[in-house]
PDB file of all heavy atoms in Angstrom:
ATOM      1  N   GLY A   1       0.763  -1.202  -0.028  1.00  0.00           N
ATOM      2  CA  GLY A   1       0.027   0.051   0.064  1.00  0.00           C
ATOM      3  C   GLY A   1       0.824   1.224  -0.071  1.00  0.00           C
ATOM      4  O   GLY A   1       0.484   2.114  -0.690  1.00  0.00           O
ATOM      5  N   LYS A   2       1.831   1.270   0.751  1.00  0.00           N
ATOM      6  CA  LYS A   2       2.753   2.333   0.762  1.00  0.00           C
ATOM      7  C   LYS A   2       3.485   2.657  -0.536  1.00  0.00           C
ATOM      8  O   LYS A   2       3.674   3.723  -1.042  1.00  0.00           O
ATOM      9  CB  LYS A   2       3.899   2.228   1.990  1.00  0.00           C
ATOM     10  CG  LYS A   2       4.678   3.402   2.078  1.00  0.00           C
ATOM     11  CD  LYS A   2       5.784   3.215   3.243  1.00  0.00           C
ATOM     12  CE  LYS A   2       6.691   4.245   3.298  1.00  0.00           C
ATOM     13  NZ  LYS A   2       7.749   4.050   4.294  1.00  0.00           N
ATOM     14  N   ALA A   3       3.904   1.478  -1.123  1.00  0.00           N
ATOM     15  CA  ALA A   3       4.595   1.655  -2.461  1.00  0.00           C
ATOM     16  C   ALA A   3       3.582   2.147  -3.551  1.00  0.00           C
ATOM     17  O   ALA A   3       4.021   2.866  -4.363  1.00  0.00           O
ATOM     18  CB  ALA A   3       5.132   0.270  -2.893  1.00  0.00           C
ATOM     19  N   GLU A   4       2.323   1.704  -3.439  1.00  0.00           N
ATOM     20  CA  GLU A   4       1.324   2.255  -4.378  1.00  0.00           C
ATOM     21  C   GLU A   4       1.051   3.776  -4.135  1.00  0.00           C
ATOM     22  O   GLU A   4       0.950   4.483  -5.088  1.00  0.00           O
ATOM     23  CB  GLU A   4      -0.005   1.483  -4.311  1.00  0.00           C
ATOM     24  CG  GLU A   4       0.094   0.098  -4.866  1.00  0.00           C
ATOM     25  CD  GLU A   4      -1.112  -0.844  -4.709  1.00  0.00           C
ATOM     26  OE1 GLU A   4      -2.178  -0.333  -4.275  1.00  0.00           O
ATOM     27  OE2 GLU A   4      -1.186  -1.927  -5.078  1.00  0.00           O
ATOM     28  N   MET A   5       1.035   4.118  -2.821  1.00  0.00           N
ATOM     29  CA  MET A   5       0.824   5.536  -2.615  1.00  0.00           C
ATOM     30  C   MET A   5       2.028   6.387  -3.117  1.00  0.00           C
ATOM     31  O   MET A   5       1.819   7.551  -3.690  1.00  0.00           O
ATOM     32  CB  MET A   5       0.683   5.778  -1.056  1.00  0.00           C
ATOM     33  CG  MET A   5       0.405   7.179  -0.661  1.00  0.00           C
ATOM     34  SD  MET A   5      -1.188   7.644  -1.120  1.00  0.00           S
ATOM     35  CE  MET A   5      -1.091   9.289  -0.828  1.00  0.00           C
ATOM     36  N   GLU A   6       3.253   5.771  -2.876  1.00  0.00           N
ATOM     37  CA  GLU A   6       4.358   6.561  -3.503  1.00  0.00           C
ATOM     38  C   GLU A   6       4.364   6.610  -5.046  1.00  0.00           C
ATOM     39  O   GLU A   6       4.640   7.651  -5.544  1.00  0.00           O
ATOM     40  CB  GLU A   6       5.686   5.802  -2.895  1.00  0.00           C
ATOM     41  CG  GLU A   6       5.903   6.091  -1.533  1.00  0.00           C
ATOM     42  CD  GLU A   6       6.985   5.260  -0.897  1.00  0.00           C
ATOM     43  OE1 GLU A   6       7.484   4.259  -1.518  1.00  0.00           O
ATOM     44  OE2 GLU A   6       7.426   5.669   0.195  1.00  0.00           O
ATOM     45  N   MET A   7       3.802   5.554  -5.700  1.00  0.00           N
ATOM     46  CA  MET A   7       3.773   5.621  -7.006  1.00  0.00           C
ATOM     47  C   MET A   7       2.630   6.733  -7.512  1.00  0.00           C
ATOM     48  O   MET A   7       3.009   7.339  -8.494  1.00  0.00           O
ATOM     49  CB  MET A   7       3.256   4.247  -7.554  1.00  0.00           C
ATOM     50  CG  MET A   7       3.368   4.090  -9.068  1.00  0.00           C
ATOM     51  SD  MET A   7       2.934   2.493  -9.821  1.00  0.00           S
ATOM     52  CE  MET A   7       2.793   1.342  -8.382  1.00  0.00           C
ATOM     53  N   VAL A   8       1.507   6.750  -6.844  1.00  0.00           N
ATOM     54  CA  VAL A   8       0.604   7.743  -7.233  1.00  0.00           C
ATOM     55  C   VAL A   8       1.135   9.208  -7.081  1.00  0.00           C
ATOM     56  O   VAL A   8       0.897   9.919  -7.847  1.00  0.00           O
ATOM     57  CB  VAL A   8      -0.694   7.562  -6.199  1.00  0.00           C
ATOM     58  CG1 VAL A   8      -1.687   8.787  -6.311  1.00  0.00           C
ATOM     59  CG2 VAL A   8      -1.384   6.325  -6.573  1.00  0.00           C
ATOM     60  N   LEU A   9       1.846   9.283  -5.885  1.00  0.00           N
ATOM     61  CA  LEU A   9       2.446  10.711  -5.734  1.00  0.00           C
ATOM     62  C   LEU A   9       3.448  11.030  -6.794  1.00  0.00           C
ATOM     63  O   LEU A   9       3.545  12.188  -7.242  1.00  0.00           O
ATOM     64  CB  LEU A   9       3.203  10.764  -4.348  1.00  0.00           C
ATOM     65  CG  LEU A   9       2.129  10.767  -3.163  1.00  0.00           C
ATOM     66  CD1 LEU A   9       2.859  10.722  -1.778  1.00  0.00           C
ATOM     67  CD2 LEU A   9       1.332  11.827  -3.163  1.00  0.00           C
ATOM     68  N   SER A  10       4.200   9.982  -7.275  1.00  0.00           N
ATOM     69  CA  SER A  10       5.167  10.255  -8.301  1.00  0.00           C
ATOM     70  C   SER A  10       4.481  10.667  -9.658  1.00  0.00           C
ATOM     71  O   SER A  10       4.897  11.419 -10.479  1.00  0.00           O
ATOM     72  CB  SER A  10       6.101   9.024  -8.526  1.00  0.00           C
ATOM     73  OG  SER A  10       5.442   7.956  -9.070  1.00  0.00           O
ATOM     74  N   VAL A  11       3.304   9.968  -9.941  1.00  0.00           N
ATOM     75  CA  VAL A  11       2.571  10.290 -11.059  1.00  0.00           C
ATOM     76  C   VAL A  11       2.107  11.767 -11.009  1.00  0.00           C
ATOM     77  O   VAL A  11       2.086  12.515 -11.940  1.00  0.00           O
ATOM     78  CB  VAL A  11       1.426   9.236 -11.387  1.00  0.00           C
ATOM     79  CG1 VAL A  11       0.469   9.758 -12.438  1.00  0.00           C
ATOM     80  CG2 VAL A  11       2.101   7.861 -11.818  1.00  0.00           C
ATOM     81  N   ILE A  12       1.580  12.137  -9.854  1.00  0.00           N
ATOM     82  CA  ILE A  12       0.995  13.491  -9.642  1.00  0.00           C
ATOM     83  C   ILE A  12       2.219  14.469  -9.936  1.00  0.00           C
ATOM     84  O   ILE A  12       2.009  15.462 -10.521  1.00  0.00           O
ATOM     85  CB  ILE A  12       0.407  13.674  -8.289  1.00  0.00           C
ATOM     86  CG1 ILE A  12      -0.820  12.834  -8.130  1.00  0.00           C
ATOM     87  CG2 ILE A  12       0.255  15.147  -7.921  1.00  0.00           C
ATOM     88  CD1 ILE A  12      -1.328  12.795  -6.725  1.00  0.00           C
ATOM     89  N   LYS A  13       3.337  14.086  -9.429  1.00  0.00           N
ATOM     90  CA  LYS A  13       4.561  15.038  -9.699  1.00  0.00           C
ATOM     91  C   LYS A  13       4.888  15.203 -11.128  1.00  0.00           C
ATOM     92  O   LYS A  13       5.189  16.154 -11.616  1.00  0.00           O
ATOM     93  CB  LYS A  13       5.694  14.408  -8.887  1.00  0.00           C
ATOM     94  CG  LYS A  13       7.030  15.329  -8.985  1.00  0.00           C
ATOM     95  CD  LYS A  13       8.077  14.765  -8.108  1.00  0.00           C
ATOM     96  CE  LYS A  13       9.350  15.683  -8.260  1.00  0.00           C
ATOM     97  NZ  LYS A  13      10.364  15.165  -7.397  1.00  0.00           N
ATOM     98  N   GLU A  14       4.834  14.030 -11.753  1.00  0.00           N
ATOM     99  CA  GLU A  14       5.181  14.023 -13.231  1.00  0.00           C
ATOM    100  C   GLU A  14       4.137  14.667 -14.157  1.00  0.00           C
ATOM    101  O   GLU A  14       4.533  15.341 -15.036  1.00  0.00           O
ATOM    102  CB  GLU A  14       5.254  12.403 -13.678  1.00  0.00           C
ATOM    103  CG  GLU A  14       5.575  12.199 -15.051  1.00  0.00           C
ATOM    104  CD  GLU A  14       5.637  10.770 -15.357  1.00  0.00           C
ATOM    105  OE1 GLU A  14       6.197   9.929 -14.620  1.00  0.00           O
ATOM    106  OE2 GLU A  14       5.009  10.351 -16.441  1.00  0.00           O
ATOM    107  N   LYS A  15       2.877  14.529 -13.721  1.00  0.00           N
ATOM    108  CA  LYS A  15       1.857  14.991 -14.660  1.00  0.00           C
ATOM    109  C   LYS A  15       1.312  16.500 -14.345  1.00  0.00           C
ATOM    110  O   LYS A  15       0.545  17.023 -15.164  1.00  0.00           O
ATOM    111  CB  LYS A  15       0.708  14.057 -14.720  1.00  0.00           C
ATOM    112  CG  LYS A  15       0.958  12.716 -14.916  1.00  0.00           C
ATOM    113  CD  LYS A  15       1.061  12.528 -16.542  1.00  0.00           C
ATOM    114  CE  LYS A  15       1.354  11.084 -16.728  1.00  0.00           C
ATOM    115  NZ  LYS A  15       1.402  10.635 -18.126  1.00  0.00           N
ATOM    116  N   HIS A  16       1.661  17.042 -13.240  1.00  0.00           N
ATOM    117  CA  HIS A  16       1.255  18.291 -12.848  1.00  0.00           C
ATOM    118  C   HIS A  16       2.342  19.282 -12.521  1.00  0.00           C
ATOM    119  O   HIS A  16       3.427  18.974 -12.529  1.00  0.00           O
ATOM    120  CB  HIS A  16       0.267  18.173 -11.613  1.00  0.00           C
ATOM    121  CG  HIS A  16      -0.945  17.307 -11.805  1.00  0.00           C
ATOM    122  ND1 HIS A  16      -2.065  17.792 -12.531  1.00  0.00           N
ATOM    123  CD2 HIS A  16      -1.171  16.073 -11.643  1.00  0.00           C
ATOM    124  CE1 HIS A  16      -2.920  16.809 -12.621  1.00  0.00           C
ATOM    125  NE2 HIS A  16      -2.395  15.764 -12.064  1.00  0.00           N
ATOM    126  N   THR A  17       1.887  20.554 -12.484  1.00  0.00           N
ATOM    127  CA  THR A  17       2.931  21.532 -12.128  1.00  0.00           C
ATOM    128  C   THR A  17       3.486  21.391 -10.664  1.00  0.00           C
ATOM    129  O   THR A  17       2.805  20.702  -9.797  1.00  0.00           O
ATOM    130  CB  THR A  17       2.323  22.955 -12.047  1.00  0.00           C
ATOM    131  OG1 THR A  17       1.270  23.070 -11.017  1.00  0.00           O
ATOM    132  CG2 THR A  17       1.654  23.292 -13.457  1.00  0.00           C
ATOM    133  N   PRO A  18       4.657  21.942 -10.440  1.00  0.00           N
ATOM    134  CA  PRO A  18       5.180  21.770  -9.033  1.00  0.00           C
ATOM    135  C   PRO A  18       4.324  22.272  -7.951  1.00  0.00           C
ATOM    136  O   PRO A  18       4.215  21.736  -6.925  1.00  0.00           O
ATOM    137  CB  PRO A  18       6.606  22.614  -9.072  1.00  0.00           C
ATOM    138  CG  PRO A  18       6.942  22.557 -10.590  1.00  0.00           C
ATOM    139  CD  PRO A  18       5.600  22.572 -11.349  1.00  0.00           C
ATOM    140  N   GLU A  19       3.623  23.357  -8.233  1.00  0.00           N
ATOM    141  CA  GLU A  19       2.549  23.949  -7.311  1.00  0.00           C
ATOM    142  C   GLU A  19       1.474  22.906  -6.923  1.00  0.00           C
ATOM    143  O   GLU A  19       1.136  22.752  -5.730  1.00  0.00           O
ATOM    144  CB  GLU A  19       1.942  25.214  -7.734  1.00  0.00           C
ATOM    145  CG  GLU A  19       1.078  25.906  -6.710  1.00  0.00           C
ATOM    146  CD  GLU A  19       0.624  27.149  -7.359  1.00  0.00           C
ATOM    147  OE1 GLU A  19       1.046  27.718  -8.328  1.00  0.00           O
ATOM    148  OE2 GLU A  19      -0.228  27.775  -6.646  1.00  0.00           O
ATOM    149  N   VAL A  20       1.015  22.334  -7.869  1.00  0.00           N
ATOM    150  CA  VAL A  20      -0.061  21.358  -7.751  1.00  0.00           C
ATOM    151  C   VAL A  20       0.461  20.142  -6.904  1.00  0.00           C
ATOM    152  O   VAL A  20      -0.146  19.671  -5.875  1.00  0.00           O
ATOM    153  CB  VAL A  20      -0.621  20.729  -9.051  1.00  0.00           C
ATOM    154  CG1 VAL A  20      -1.544  19.638  -8.747  1.00  0.00           C
ATOM    155  CG2 VAL A  20      -1.477  21.879  -9.708  1.00  0.00           C
ATOM    156  N   TYR A  21       1.716  19.722  -7.178  1.00  0.00           N
ATOM    157  CA  TYR A  21       2.313  18.471  -6.484  1.00  0.00           C
ATOM    158  C   TYR A  21       2.541  18.991  -4.920  1.00  0.00           C
ATOM    159  O   TYR A  21       2.220  18.188  -4.036  1.00  0.00           O
ATOM    160  CB  TYR A  21       3.623  18.257  -7.099  1.00  0.00           C
ATOM    161  CG  TYR A  21       4.432  17.102  -6.365  1.00  0.00           C
ATOM    162  CD1 TYR A  21       3.916  15.825  -6.272  1.00  0.00           C
ATOM    163  CD2 TYR A  21       5.703  17.399  -5.882  1.00  0.00           C
ATOM    164  CE1 TYR A  21       4.706  14.881  -5.649  1.00  0.00           C
ATOM    165  CE2 TYR A  21       6.456  16.470  -5.244  1.00  0.00           C
ATOM    166  CZ  TYR A  21       5.893  15.200  -5.051  1.00  0.00           C
ATOM    167  OH  TYR A  21       6.664  14.260  -4.478  1.00  0.00           O
ATOM    168  N   GLN A  22       3.185  20.140  -4.800  1.00  0.00           N
ATOM    169  CA  GLN A  22       3.472  20.582  -3.357  1.00  0.00           C
ATOM    170  C   GLN A  22       2.138  20.719  -2.648  1.00  0.00           C
ATOM    171  O   GLN A  22       2.105  20.278  -1.482  1.00  0.00           O
ATOM    172  CB  GLN A  22       4.199  22.001  -3.480  1.00  0.00           C
ATOM    173  CG  GLN A  22       5.582  21.766  -3.974  1.00  0.00           C
ATOM    174  CD  GLN A  22       6.228  23.190  -4.199  1.00  0.00           C
ATOM    175  OE1 GLN A  22       5.648  24.260  -3.969  1.00  0.00           O
ATOM    176  NE2 GLN A  22       7.413  23.153  -4.888  1.00  0.00           N
ATOM    177  N   ASN A  23       1.126  21.324  -3.248  1.00  0.00           N
ATOM    178  CA  ASN A  23      -0.099  21.477  -2.438  1.00  0.00           C
ATOM    179  C   ASN A  23      -0.782  20.155  -2.221  1.00  0.00           C
ATOM    180  O   ASN A  23      -1.507  19.943  -1.249  1.00  0.00           O
ATOM    181  CB  ASN A  23      -1.167  22.311  -3.333  1.00  0.00           C
ATOM    182  CG  ASN A  23      -0.634  23.833  -3.234  1.00  0.00           C
ATOM    183  OD1 ASN A  23      -0.014  24.288  -2.415  1.00  0.00           O
ATOM    184  ND2 ASN A  23      -1.113  24.542  -4.212  1.00  0.00           N
ATOM    185  N   THR A  24      -0.692  19.175  -3.088  1.00  0.00           N
ATOM    186  CA  THR A  24      -1.238  17.813  -2.893  1.00  0.00           C
ATOM    187  C   THR A  24      -0.519  17.261  -1.685  1.00  0.00           C
ATOM    188  O   THR A  24      -1.152  16.622  -0.812  1.00  0.00           O
ATOM    189  CB  THR A  24      -0.963  16.961  -4.090  1.00  0.00           C
ATOM    190  OG1 THR A  24      -1.728  17.533  -5.245  1.00  0.00           O
ATOM    191  CG2 THR A  24      -1.513  15.555  -3.839  1.00  0.00           C
ATOM    192  N   LEU A  25       0.713  17.323  -1.625  1.00  0.00           N
ATOM    193  CA  LEU A  25       1.587  16.708  -0.516  1.00  0.00           C
ATOM    194  C   LEU A  25       1.151  17.445   0.842  1.00  0.00           C
ATOM    195  O   LEU A  25       0.942  16.761   1.827  1.00  0.00           O
ATOM    196  CB  LEU A  25       2.995  16.899  -0.746  1.00  0.00           C
ATOM    197  CG  LEU A  25       3.693  16.106  -1.816  1.00  0.00           C
ATOM    198  CD1 LEU A  25       5.100  16.316  -1.898  1.00  0.00           C
ATOM    199  CD2 LEU A  25       3.447  14.489  -1.485  1.00  0.00           C
ATOM    200  N   ARG A  26       1.036  18.848   0.807  1.00  0.00           N
ATOM    201  CA  ARG A  26       0.762  19.490   1.961  1.00  0.00           C
ATOM    202  C   ARG A  26      -0.596  19.100   2.450  1.00  0.00           C
ATOM    203  O   ARG A  26      -0.952  19.050   3.665  1.00  0.00           O
ATOM    204  CB  ARG A  26       0.921  20.948   1.841  1.00  0.00           C
ATOM    205  CG  ARG A  26       2.454  21.290   1.648  1.00  0.00           C
ATOM    206  CD  ARG A  26       2.533  22.786   1.360  1.00  0.00           C
ATOM    207  NE  ARG A  26       3.971  23.114   1.194  1.00  0.00           N
ATOM    208  CZ  ARG A  26       4.511  23.919   0.347  1.00  0.00           C
ATOM    209  NH1 ARG A  26       3.715  24.573  -0.577  1.00  0.00           N
ATOM    210  NH2 ARG A  26       5.864  24.178   0.231  1.00  0.00           N
ATOM    211  N   GLY A  27      -1.591  18.962   1.627  1.00  0.00           N
ATOM    212  CA  GLY A  27      -3.020  18.809   1.881  1.00  0.00           C
ATOM    213  C   GLY A  27      -3.178  17.396   2.419  1.00  0.00           C
ATOM    214  O   GLY A  27      -3.812  17.224   3.360  1.00  0.00           O
ATOM    215  N   LEU A  28      -2.456  16.344   1.731  1.00  0.00           N
ATOM    216  CA  LEU A  28      -2.503  15.008   2.264  1.00  0.00           C
ATOM    217  C   LEU A  28      -1.936  14.918   3.743  1.00  0.00           C
ATOM    218  O   LEU A  28      -2.483  14.402   4.669  1.00  0.00           O
ATOM    219  CB  LEU A  28      -1.902  14.059   1.382  1.00  0.00           C
ATOM    220  CG  LEU A  28      -2.571  13.660   0.083  1.00  0.00           C
ATOM    221  CD1 LEU A  28      -1.538  12.949  -0.829  1.00  0.00           C
ATOM    222  CD2 LEU A  28      -3.676  12.822   0.441  1.00  0.00           C
ATOM    223  N   TYR A  29      -0.849  15.660   3.847  1.00  0.00           N
ATOM    224  CA  TYR A  29      -0.024  15.605   5.197  1.00  0.00           C
ATOM    225  C   TYR A  29      -0.977  16.222   6.254  1.00  0.00           C
ATOM    226  O   TYR A  29      -1.265  15.759   7.266  1.00  0.00           O
ATOM    227  CB  TYR A  29       1.283  16.274   5.119  1.00  0.00           C
ATOM    228  CG  TYR A  29       1.980  16.091   6.398  1.00  0.00           C
ATOM    229  CD1 TYR A  29       2.807  14.951   6.649  1.00  0.00           C
ATOM    230  CD2 TYR A  29       2.133  17.221   7.334  1.00  0.00           C
ATOM    231  CE1 TYR A  29       3.467  14.844   7.788  1.00  0.00           C
ATOM    232  CE2 TYR A  29       2.802  17.084   8.559  1.00  0.00           C
ATOM    233  CZ  TYR A  29       3.556  15.901   8.743  1.00  0.00           C
ATOM    234  OH  TYR A  29       4.191  15.802   9.909  1.00  0.00           O
ATOM    235  N   SER A  30      -1.577  17.312   5.880  1.00  0.00           N
ATOM    236  CA  SER A  30      -2.419  18.142   6.878  1.00  0.00           C
ATOM    237  C   SER A  30      -3.725  17.244   7.281  1.00  0.00           C
ATOM    238  O   SER A  30      -3.954  17.092   8.472  1.00  0.00           O
ATOM    239  CB  SER A  30      -2.789  19.387   6.256  1.00  0.00           C
ATOM    240  OG  SER A  30      -3.721  20.099   7.200  1.00  0.00           O
TER     241      SER A  30
END
């Protein structure tokens, strides 16, 4: 599950702007 989550995050990073990726990480963490 953790590996899959990391894969999803890497796809978000690859397919979106750095701002979207950063906001996604911050939102999930929060």
Side-chain angles (χ1 to χ4, degrees):
K2 182 178 175 184
E4 288 181 4
M5 183 67 190
E6 289 171 342
M7 191 178 350
V8 167
L9 292 173
S10 71
V11 170
I12 292 170
K13 181 179 182 181
E14 179 183 314
K15 303 281 184 185
H16 297 280
T17 65
E19 184 179 350
V20 169
Y21 176 67
Q22 291 170 5
N23 288 337
T24 300
L25 291 178
R26 289 178 182 138
L28 285 169
Y29 187 78
S30 175

